[in-house]
Amino acid sequence: MKKMNLAALSLVLAAFGSAVSADITLQNKEEVQGTWKLQLTKNSLTDKQAIDREDTWVFKDGKVTVLHIPREGTYYDQPPVAYEVEDGKLKVAIIGSSRFDLFTVIDKADTSMTLKGKYGGYYYFIKK
């Protein structure tokens, strides 16, 4: 009896764990189009120390522009760079390089979006 309960519990936890970690697969770049305010970033989902952010990401016509980036007591805007959807992930060019950043969409609703960077950082957005 105990083995049966343990097996059932293991099965439930495995099913729950896979549902929690399911990523959202983007079909096209229009799904992220618009103006998104980056509220905060975290190094992991369980990280208690969030970093407040002030920048805004504008996805429009295949380009993303990051605005209002704080630096040394002032703000600057990044020039637009190309973005695309590849294999369900958001691929954003890096300025002055042939490289790119790759983001997985963890959560997306009409007014919010959470991205995970390729190095594990989490980006929490609200739509403006």
Side-chain angles (χ1 to χ4, degrees):
M1 179 83 169
K2 287 184 181 182
K3 286 183 182 181
M4 185 183 226
N5 288 341
L6 184 59
L9 180 62
S10 296
L11 182 61
V12 168
L13 289 175
F16 179 71
S18 64
V20 169
S21 65
D23 298 330
I24 296 172
T25 302
L26 294 175
Q27 302 301 317
N28 57 57
K29 54 186 162 187
E30 286 74 26
E31 292 181 68
V32 295
Q33 190 161 313
T35 301
W36 296 89
K37 168 77 172 87
L38 181 56
Q39 288 190 301
L40 58 98
T41 58
K42 289 182 173 184
N43 290 327
S44 71
L45 283 177
T46 57
D47 192 356
K48 293 179 183 171
Q49 213 171 19
I51 300 168
D52 290 331
R53 298 290 296 261
E54 300 179 45
D55 39 321
T56 299
W57 296 25
V58 181
F59 293 91
K60 183 179 178 184
D61 300 327
K63 302 275 186 185
V64 60
T65 306
V66 181
L67 306 172
H68 200 69
I69 304 167
R71 177 164 295 158
E72 299 175 6
T74 187
Y75 297 91
Y76 75 98
D77 297 339
Q78 173 183 298
V81 295
Y83 78 93
E84 59 188 60
V85 171
E86 186 175 284
D87 297 327
K89 298 180 188 294
L90 185 62
K91 184 177 176 180
V92 178
I94 296 175
I95 293 177
S97 173
S98 60
R99 297 181 306 145
F100 57 89
D101 281 327
L102 194 62
F103 298 93
T104 302
V105 180
I106 301 299
D107 182 41
K108 177 142 179 357
D110 290 340
T111 59
S112 65
M113 175 171 64
T114 304
L115 301 178
K116 179 182 178 186
K118 65 182 172 184
Y119 299 113
Y122 289 82
Y123 299 74
Y124 297 87
F125 293 89
I126 58 168
K127 193 150 192 181
K128 287 179 84 176

